[in-house]
Structures are given as C-alpha cells and as structure tokens.
Amino acid sequence: MSELEELLELGRRAVEAALRAGATEAEAYISSGTSAELLFTEKVESFRLSTSTGLGVRALVGRRLGISSSSLLTPEKAEEVAEKAVKIARASSEDREWRSLPSGLRKSSVEGLFDRETAELDPDRLVGCIEVLADAITDLGKPVRPTRGMMRAGQGLVAICNSSGEEVYRSGTRAYVWVRATAEEGSRSATANEADCATALSDIDFAALGARAASRALDFLKARKVPTQKMDVVIRGLVMGSILATMFAGTLTADAVQERRSPWADKVGQEVASDAFTLLDEGNRPKGFRSREMDDEGLPTGRTALIECGVLKGFLYDDYRAKREGRSSTGNAWRAGPGSRPSPAPNCLVLQPGDWTLEELLADTREGLYVVETIGEWLSDPVRGFLNANVSHGYLIRDGELAEPVSGVMISCNFFETMKKAMDAFGRELENYSGFYAPAVRIRGMSVSGE
C-alpha cells in the first residue's frame, strides 16, 4: 500500500469512528512530511533530517464542534482521536453561525509544486548547494566570508476525507535558503543578508545569492547615515513583499472583517489606492511558494482580486466564513496544525508589476534613496496604516544612479495614503518574499529619519 493510500485509509477509519460515536458530520485531515535543515558558515556545520505526521478530526454533533488530533498515525489512534473529537463536540457550546463542513472537495491544476529531485533530500545534493553559495562569497578574493546561514528543504503530503464520502489530496516540495556575509577591513566590519525560496532546488541560484550578499557586505564597510528629510524612495521588491505581508496578510481576510479587526471593512467598491495598484491572491500561481492545488479544507485554490486598479474588490475566505455571508470559499483555508481550526490567509499574494526596469526607475527618480534590506517593518500597524522600517542597507540615488551606501535610517509613512497618492511607479520584475510577490516600487516624499 502506498503512503497516500495509508493516509486515506486512516482518514476513512477516523471518519467512520466519529460517525459511530454519534457525530452528524465529520472530517479527517492527515499530513505527512520529511524535511532537511542545514546550518552553515564557510562549510556545513550541521545536517538534520526530520519527519512529521499528524491527524486531525473535526466532528460535529448538530452545531457543536469538536476537534482532536495526534501525531501518531495508527488505526487505533485514528479511532481514539475521532471519539475524543465527538466527546469535545458534545461538551461544546452551539455555534449558531455553523452551516456544514465543506463539500465538493476537489483540487485545481497548478504546475510546478512538486519536484522529485528536491523531494529526495539527497545529502550530497543539499551540501553541494551550500558549497556553491559559500564559494561564490569566498572566491571573490576579498575580505568577506559567510558567517551564518541556513537551508531547509522538504516534501509533504496532505489528505482530507469527509463523511460525505469525498476524498482529496495534495503533495508539494519547498526549499528555502538564507545567508549572512561579513566583510572586514581593519577595525571595520559590515554584514549583508540574502535569501531565496522556491518549490524546487534547481530554481534557486545559489551562486548569485552568495555573490549579492558578499558584494553588499563589502559596499557597507563605508555606509553612513543621511540627514532627516523627505525623500523619494525606491523600495526593492523583496522588501516590498515583506511590507505586503505585514500590511495585508491579516487584514484582507474574512475573519478580520467579520470581527471588525480590519480597516477594510465596509470599503468594498471604494477606491483605496491609485489605479496603478492591483493586488491579487494567486493560489494557483505556477511554482508559487504558497501555491496549493487545494486549501486545508480540500477546496480548490484560484485567483482572487483583492484590490484591482485601486478599487477594493473583496476578501479571502475559508468555508466557514464564506457560508456566514452566503458566499463560496476562495480556497484560502490554512491550518496551523492538524488539530487547529482552519482560518483564511493569503496563498500567493501578488502586487502586480508595472513597466519600469530598475535602471529606468532609478534614472527617472534622479535623487532619492534605494532601499535594499530592512528590519522591523513587522512592527508597523496594519490597522491604522502606519508603516515604519529600519533601513539596514540602502543606497543614495544621485543623478539617476546608485551612489553611496546608507545604513541606520528609518523610513515611515501613512501606508494607506501612500497607496492612493505617493506610490507612483512599479518595476516589471517580481521578487519573492516567502510567497509574497512584489516589484520594486517608488514612493514619493517618504519620511527618512537619520542624523
């Protein structure tokens, strides 16, 4: 029996046990995965291979919900978990908003989510990737070296069964790498970080990653602050992706809207940004880092317009939140673990690119600041719209070209107003921040706090 058949059989057994115990409807979520983690400096310092499994059962007794889970995948444990979920349901309060578990389980077609080579987690292949990265830094022949890094790669399988006799599954692979390069010259030192992620190891350019980190670390041996002022700021796509995650991941979801935790409630159909601003959720993006053929309730993923040409179009839904409004799920249910209740979250959140190359964008900006690396933007306020970030790595823009390196300044703005009035140019190339995709973006008249 294949691993998939074993998971499905456990799911069926759990659902049947829940029904025998008195559930009116039940669902089993089963997951299995293997991952490798490598920590490295100039060489691999540690290599750890781990496996994870989980079974979660949602059982309903009328409108009373119970959830139970286990990391042990055996027939006996599946029945025990199911019976416990029913007991929890009987002791729970009735949810008057409850309609039913999801039905019509199926998956969409998404290319490039499973890579056989990555799934094999071959130690020689993984170590070889790190060696390529480290060599790209040390082979510069300059005083710079990799001082810290981490790579993770893994493969996973998820299966879902319900009491309507429906079954669906998905599989996928992922790889992520991060490196810090440190340059030293006399008493001075500087660091730079680079990261990348993909659904296949072969889609990560390890040599280019190392070279970028090394080159920037060397540049920043001579970094300085700039005076506090208003400046036109060009934000790198990777940084903009992090900003998208901070400002939108928890506010464009139906639960945030229904619970009045979102600043976007009651604004559907209104202009909330310039007509150049379009934000999509693409759960079916080919090779997307957060793409899935189905969500964590077994419903197909797709493409959802959130903000289109500046107009707020809608929100991200799981099945429960969608049914509260008489809608259909957008395929955005995520679970923190097999024993957690699904809730809506972005799949691949994509800020649509424009027509500018980076060189054209810098040339048109003439004078300003190019932000390459930041820290602290996650401390911004996505409800009130206040954005601030510490710029650890940036470059002055002078006469339309990159000039001196800048560090230790803070950028800030009212992001909601910026979306409408000051965000006026978008690069044509997307960068991937862990499944949040964005181009380089120019913001006019941003506050820069320095000396």
Side-chain angles (χ1 to χ4, degrees):
M1 185 181 295
S2 69
E3 181 184 15
L4 173 60
E5 276 301 319
E6 289 178 355
L7 296 188
L8 289 171
E9 180 57 34
L10 282 173
R12 297 178 196 124
R13 183 183 287 264
V15 168
E16 291 168 0
L19 295 176
R20 286 197 305 271
T24 51
E25 54 179 337
E27 167 203 86
Y29 173 98
I30 318 97
S31 64
S32 175
T34 306
S35 64
E37 180 182 87
L38 293 81
L39 301 180
F40 63 93
T41 52
E42 295 180 68
K43 63 180 181 179
V44 174
E45 304 287 347
S46 69
F47 183 107
R48 183 178 67 180
L49 195 65
S50 60
T51 60
S52 62
T53 57
L55 165 68
V57 174
R58 282 199 289 177
L60 276 298
V61 178
R63 292 186 173 182
R64 301 173 188 271
L65 171 66
I67 301 177
S68 183
S69 66
S70 174
S71 60
L72 186 61
L73 300 186
T74 65
E76 296 76 19
K77 182 58 70 172
E79 293 185 2
E80 179 185 323
V81 167
E83 291 166 359
K84 185 176 180 180
V86 175
K87 288 180 181 179
I88 293 172
R90 292 187 188 281
S92 300
S93 301
E94 185 175 274
D95 182 353
R96 295 184 179 181
E97 300 290 346
W98 183 262
R99 300 295 182 268
S100 67
L101 285 170
S103 60
L105 306 191
R106 64 190 189 282
K107 56 186 179 180
S108 54
S109 176
V110 188
E111 296 180 358
L113 300 189
F114 183 87
D115 176 67
R116 189 170 300 279
E117 180 194 42
T118 304
E120 289 174 352
L121 299 177
D122 178 62
D124 291 337
R125 171 73 167 115
L126 297 175
V127 171
C129 290
I130 299 305
E131 290 174 342
V132 168
L133 188 158
D135 288 347
I137 297 175
T138 57
D139 286 354
L140 288 176
K142 297 182 178 181
V144 60
R145 59 193 176 88
T147 51
R148 190 178 178 190
M150 183 269 290
M151 183 170 78
R152 288 188 184 133
Q155 59 87 22
L157 178 64
V158 169
I160 298 176
C161 309
N162 66 21
S163 50
S164 296
E166 298 173 328
E167 301 175 350
V168 69
Y169 67 91
R170 69 168 189 256
S171 59
T173 54
R174 284 182 175 184
Y176 172 87
V177 63
W178 166 82
V179 66
R180 173 173 294 162
T182 299
E184 296 177 329
E185 188 175 79
S187 61
R188 292 177 297 178
S189 66
T191 63
N193 303 298
E194 274 293 322
D196 200 3
C197 58
T199 58
L201 283 169
S202 58
D203 288 333
I204 297 177
D205 190 334
F206 289 90
L209 192 76
R212 287 197 301 271
S215 176
R216 193 178 315 128
L218 289 164
D219 283 349
F220 277 75
L221 287 169
K222 299 179 180 179
R224 64 181 180 87
K225 290 185 178 182
V226 295
T228 296
Q229 60 190 293
K230 294 279 189 180
M231 299 180 76
D232 292 341
V233 176
V234 177
I235 298 178
R236 178 188 178 186
L238 197 69
V239 175
M240 194 64 200
S242 176
I243 291 172
L244 292 181
T246 297
M247 303 307 290
F248 295 119
T251 60
L252 284 175
T253 57
D255 56 341
V257 172
Q258 292 172 5
E259 295 166 11
R260 313 303 294 182
R261 294 183 285 107
S262 170
W264 310 110
D266 304 321
K267 292 185 178 180
V268 172
Q270 296 182 23
E271 291 185 7
V272 298
S274 73
D275 59 9
F277 192 103
T278 293
L279 185 67
L280 306 174
D281 182 82
E282 297 182 354
N284 57 355
R285 182 179 183 83
K287 294 189 175 184
F289 193 68
R290 287 175 64 89
S291 291
R292 303 172 295 171
E293 295 170 302
M294 65 180 200
D295 71 2
D296 280 349
E297 292 185 305
L299 298 176
T301 57
R303 187 173 184 266
T304 302
L306 298 168
I307 301 173
E308 191 168 33
C309 298
V311 177
L312 182 63
K313 292 295 186 178
F315 306 108
L316 303 176
Y317 289 86
D318 61 354
D319 187 73
Y320 174 75
R321 297 290 178 173
K323 285 174 177 172
R324 286 183 60 167
E325 298 181 22
R327 299 175 179 271
S328 297
S329 170
T330 56
N332 285 91
W334 287 79
R335 302 186 195 226
S340 65
R341 186 169 182 169
S343 60
N347 292 318
C348 289
L349 203 61
V350 184
L351 179 61
Q352 291 297 284
D355 299 323
W356 299 79
T357 66
L358 180 59
E359 291 74 18
E360 291 169 343
L361 190 50
L362 296 175
D364 187 75
T365 303
R366 299 297 298 167
E367 307 292 328
L369 177 67
Y370 177 49
V371 175
V372 182
E373 194 177 332
T374 59
I375 56 174
E377 60 269 24
W378 53 85
L379 297 176
S380 299
D381 188 340
V383 176
R384 295 177 177 85
F386 182 71
L387 170 68
N388 67 281
N390 292 307
V391 179
S392 59
H393 297 75
Y395 293 89
L396 285 177
I397 304 170
R398 182 179 296 115
D399 297 327
E401 296 182 347
L402 295 181
E404 299 95 328
V406 173
S407 183
V409 301
M410 177 180 288
I411 54 174
S412 60
C413 67
N414 182 318
F415 191 73
F416 298 159
E417 290 301 314
T418 295
M419 289 166 58
K420 294 179 182 178
K421 302 175 181 178
M423 199 177 291
D424 71 341
F426 299 79
R428 67 172 60 162
E429 299 292 332
L430 290 174
E431 286 196 86
N432 171 18
Y433 175 79
S434 298
F436 294 83
Y437 294 79
V441 172
R442 180 172 64 199
I443 298 175
R444 295 288 194 182
M446 202 171 192
S447 296
V448 178
S449 301
E451 296 177 327

